[in-house]
């Protein structure tokens, strides 16, 4: 299965060149605030893409998704919306969560000291894990401080369940891929640290 991944489009999706594929994964930060128009326009854009499966999670900029979860499900009619939930597609078990470690009280911020509680929910048999934020120490280095900004409890979860693929974004300047013996990690942030949409979607060939 050919999987196309994007994240952190920040309402700059319209001019992106999205490769063809079987599945499109969107790892959050679709909008720039509380208004539904960003989600509505993103959904309309998704409807123009040919991918058979389109999976979306929210991110820390997507306040509307946090505040109006029921409306978001209705708006995203052209996608499968995951919010601490999962789906099985052609035998592939996928889990998506928008939550990130606490950062200045943005949307979907995990209260300090409770990280482990959120990641306990990820099933042990997950094949593809989609989160907005990265695990600690993997494609999570910030340019300003040159230090890791990922979640240590999320890393423990990834090491425990060993998904075949982990897709995320959030830390724009750490765009790229990394593979260890068990998991391919993709930071698929489209925007750089200046919020310029200069990065390309990252494609992954998933083999059953």
């Amino acid at each position: 299965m050919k999987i196309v991944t994007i994240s952190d489009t920040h309402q700059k999706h319209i001019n992106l060149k999205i490769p063809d594929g079987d599945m499109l994964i969107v790892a959050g930060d679709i909008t720039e605030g509380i208004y539904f128009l960003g989600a509505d326009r993103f959904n309309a854009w998704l409807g123009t893409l040919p991918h058979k499966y389109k999976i979306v999670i929210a991110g820390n900029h997507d306040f509307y998704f946090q505040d109006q979860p029921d409306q978001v499900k209705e708006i995203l009619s052209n996608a499968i919306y995951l919010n601490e939930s999962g789906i099985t597609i052609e035998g592939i078990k996928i889990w998506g969560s928008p939550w990130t470690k606490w950062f200045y009280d943005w949307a979907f911020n995990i209260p300090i000291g409770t990280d482990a509680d959120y990641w306990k929910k990820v099933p042990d048999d997950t094949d593809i894990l989609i989160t907005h934020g990265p695990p600690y120490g993997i494609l999570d280095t910030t340019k300003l401080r040159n230090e890791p900004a990922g979640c240590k409890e999320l890393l423990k979860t990834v090491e425990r369940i060993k998904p075949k693929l982990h897709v995320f974004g959030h830390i724009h300047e750490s765009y790229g891929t990394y593979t260890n013996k068990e998991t391919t990690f993709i930071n698929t942030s489209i925007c750089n640290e200046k919020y310029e949409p200069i990065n390309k979607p990252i494609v992954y060939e998933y083999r059953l």
Side-chain angles (χ1 to χ4, degrees):
M1 178 179 288
K2 185 177 180 180
I3 299 175
V4 181
T5 69
I6 61 173
S7 182
D8 297 85
T9 51
H10 295 285
Q11 296 186 178
K12 298 172 182 176
H13 55 271
I14 195 67
N15 295 318
L16 295 181
K17 294 182 179 179
I18 305 296
D20 289 342
D22 304 297
M23 179 184 295
L24 175 68
I25 291 177
V26 182
D29 274 6
I30 295 160
T31 66
E32 284 288 5
I34 64 174
Y35 302 109
F36 81 93
L37 285 176
D40 188 54
R41 290 168 180 165
F42 191 79
N43 181 65
W45 176 75
L46 286 175
T48 69
L49 301 178
H51 307 75
K52 184 176 181 180
Y53 307 108
K54 301 160 190 174
I55 301 175
V56 174
I57 68 166
N60 65 298
H61 278 252
D62 299 319
F63 286 95
Y64 182 76
F65 288 62
Q66 177 177 269
D67 298 339
Q68 303 292 338
D70 293 335
Q71 292 183 28
V72 167
K73 287 183 179 180
E74 294 181 8
I75 290 171
L76 291 180
S77 58
N78 293 319
I80 299 164
Y81 178 56
L82 298 182
N83 182 4
E84 288 195 292
S85 56
I87 189 169
T88 300
I89 294 176
E90 297 188 16
I92 303 170
K93 296 182 179 180
I94 304 168
W95 182 268
S97 174
W99 292 94
T100 56
K101 61 182 289 188
W102 184 266
F103 181 76
Y104 292 111
D105 199 21
W106 288 76
F108 296 107
N109 271 198
I110 298 173
I112 295 171
T114 64
D115 302 60
D117 295 335
Y118 284 80
W119 303 121
K120 286 177 182 176
K121 302 173 185 179
V122 183
D124 290 343
D125 58 353
T126 298
D127 298 308
I128 298 177
L129 177 61
I130 310 168
T131 61
H132 181 58
Y136 183 84
I138 299 176
L139 302 172
D140 69 332
T141 302
T142 60
K143 187 173 184 179
L144 181 62
R145 297 185 178 181
N146 193 32
E147 61 184 22
C151 178
K152 292 181 179 180
E153 292 297 334
L154 176 56
L155 176 62
K156 291 179 183 178
T157 296
V158 172
E159 290 175 340
R160 171 175 58 85
I161 67 176
K162 297 178 175 59
K164 193 167 185 178
L165 177 63
H166 184 189
V167 180
F168 50 88
H170 188 45
I171 308 301
H172 297 188
E173 54 266 51
S174 282
Y175 164 88
T177 63
Y178 166 75
T179 302
N180 62 20
K181 292 181 179 179
E182 295 88 14
T183 303
T184 294
F185 299 87
I186 299 178
N187 180 331
T188 189
S189 298
I190 294 300
C191 288
N192 64 10
E193 66 274 13
K194 296 180 180 179
Y195 288 79
E196 299 166 331
I198 65 172
N199 296 327
K200 295 181 179 180
I202 295 177
V203 178
Y204 177 83
E205 291 285 350
Y206 190 100
R207 303 188 186 280
L208 298 174

